[in-house]
Amino acid sequence: MFSKVLVAEDYEIANQGIIKVLNDKIGIHNIEEAKYCDDAYLKFRKAHNDQEVFELLITDLSFREDHKIQTRTSGIELIKDIRSIQPDIKVIVYSQEDRPDKINMLFENLNIDGYVCKGQDAIQELVACVQGVYQGNTVWPPEITNNSAANTMIHLDDLDIILLEELSQGFTKKEIRIKLKKQNISPNSESAIDKRVSKLFDDFKAKNTTHLVAIVKDLGIL
C-alpha cells in the first residue's frame, strides 16, 4: 500500500475525513495535509528535495480564496505542477464536480489515476479508489461508469486541442489556417477549419469564442 500521501483539501471537515479513512480503513498513516494549493506544492517540493517523495496525491479541484496571493488556485494547476516534477506520482481527484465531460477531461488531459465524487458513498468509493490505484488500475467514478452520458462524452484529437489553444490566444480562423499551413499540419483548408470550430461550438454548447474558451478552461482542457 502507499506509504506516504499528500492531501490537498481546503475544508477542514473533508480534510480530516479523508485522513481518517486513510488511517482507519486502509492503514496509511504517513499523511501530510494542506488547505491551499501553494502549501501543498511546497510540501511536495520539500519531500521531493529530501528524497522522501509522496507516492499519492489526493486533491480537490476548487479551493477558497485566501488573504494571501496564491500562485496556484486550483487542483488542476497543482496536479500539472507536481506532475511536471514527479510524473509517476499517483493522483486521485476528490471533488463535488460530477459532470461526466469534466471528469473525462481530467482523465484524458491530466492522466489522473482515479476520481471520487463527494457524496453519501464517498467513503466507500475513496477506499476502493485508493486500493484500485495502488494495484495499478485507473479508477473511474460510478457517475461515469453507470451513466449513459458517458456514451456522449466529448473526445478531442490533437487538431481540436491546437484550434482551442489558438482561439484562446485570440487568433482568428484565417490566422490559424495560415499557421497550420506553415507548420504542415493538416487538414488546414478553410472549410475543414470552419467545420472543426463549428463542431467545437456545438459540442460545448458555446455561444461565441469567448464562451468556448471559458468552458474549455473550466474543464481543464487548456
Side-chain angles (χ1 to χ4, degrees):
M1 181 47 66
F2 297 111
S3 60
K4 190 172 184 180
V5 178
L6 176 60
V7 176
E9 165 63 62
D10 57 351
Y11 283 95
E12 183 70 21
I13 294 177
N15 209 328
Q16 293 305 310
I18 295 172
I19 293 172
K20 184 173 176 58
V21 169
L22 296 178
N23 280 331
D24 298 347
K25 304 285 187 180
I26 307 178
I28 302 173
H29 301 289
N30 191 357
I31 305 166
E32 291 193 31
E33 58 179 298
K35 294 182 180 178
Y36 296 97
C37 293
D38 282 354
D39 292 340
Y41 182 73
L42 289 174
K43 290 187 176 185
F44 162 78
R45 284 303 302 266
K46 183 179 186 306
H48 190 270
N49 291 338
D50 293 343
Q51 297 185 344
E52 298 176 351
V53 297
F54 290 101
E55 299 172 345
L56 171 66
L57 167 67
I58 299 177
T59 181
D60 198 348
L61 292 177
S62 302
F63 290 78
R64 293 172 294 176
E65 292 185 3
D66 185 31
H67 62 279
K68 299 178 183 178
I69 296 177
Q70 299 288 329
T71 303
R72 301 161 193 82
T73 58
S74 73
I76 289 174
E77 293 172 305
L78 177 63
I79 294 168
K80 288 179 178 178
D81 286 349
I82 286 180
R83 277 273 178 80
S84 70
I85 297 171
Q86 187 181 331
D88 63 343
I89 189 172
K90 299 295 185 180
V91 176
I92 293 174
V93 172
Y94 183 72
S95 172
Q96 290 182 333
E97 178 60 66
D98 61 0
R99 287 178 292 174
D101 280 340
K102 183 156 189 175
I103 296 173
N104 183 60
M105 294 303 174
L106 293 170
F107 279 98
E108 289 196 350
N109 298 309
L110 294 183
N111 295 314
I112 65 171
D113 301 282
Y115 194 101
V116 177
C117 290
K118 295 178 180 178
Q120 61 182 5
D121 298 320
I123 293 177
Q124 179 181 347
E125 290 176 14
L126 180 59
V127 171
C129 188
V130 172
Q131 292 173 337
V133 169
Y134 178 74
Q135 293 169 0
N137 301 321
T138 299
V139 183
W140 293 73
E143 283 75 8
I144 285 186
T145 57
N146 297 337
N147 194 327
S148 60
N151 297 322
T152 60
M153 286 190 296
I154 302 168
H155 296 278
L156 305 176
D157 61 20
D158 291 342
L159 180 57
D160 291 324
I161 297 296
I162 291 173
L163 291 175
L164 289 171
E165 289 176 342
E166 296 296 328
L167 290 171
S168 72
Q169 295 177 33
F171 291 104
T172 64
K173 288 187 288 185
K174 182 178 180 180
E175 291 171 328
I176 295 172
R177 179 166 57 84
I178 293 172
K179 290 182 70 173
L180 292 179
K181 282 190 173 182
K182 286 182 178 179
Q183 297 172 19
N184 293 318
I185 298 174
S186 60
N188 54 35
S189 67
E190 184 175 349
S191 61
I193 293 175
D194 280 340
K195 288 179 181 177
R196 283 291 188 118
V197 173
S198 295
K199 186 176 185 302
L200 289 171
F201 273 79
D202 291 339
D203 286 343
F204 291 102
K205 298 179 173 57
K207 299 176 182 177
N208 50 50
T209 301
T210 301
H211 189 206
L212 175 63
V213 171
I215 292 172
V216 296
K217 284 188 175 181
D218 179 57
L219 290 171
I221 298 172
L222 297 181

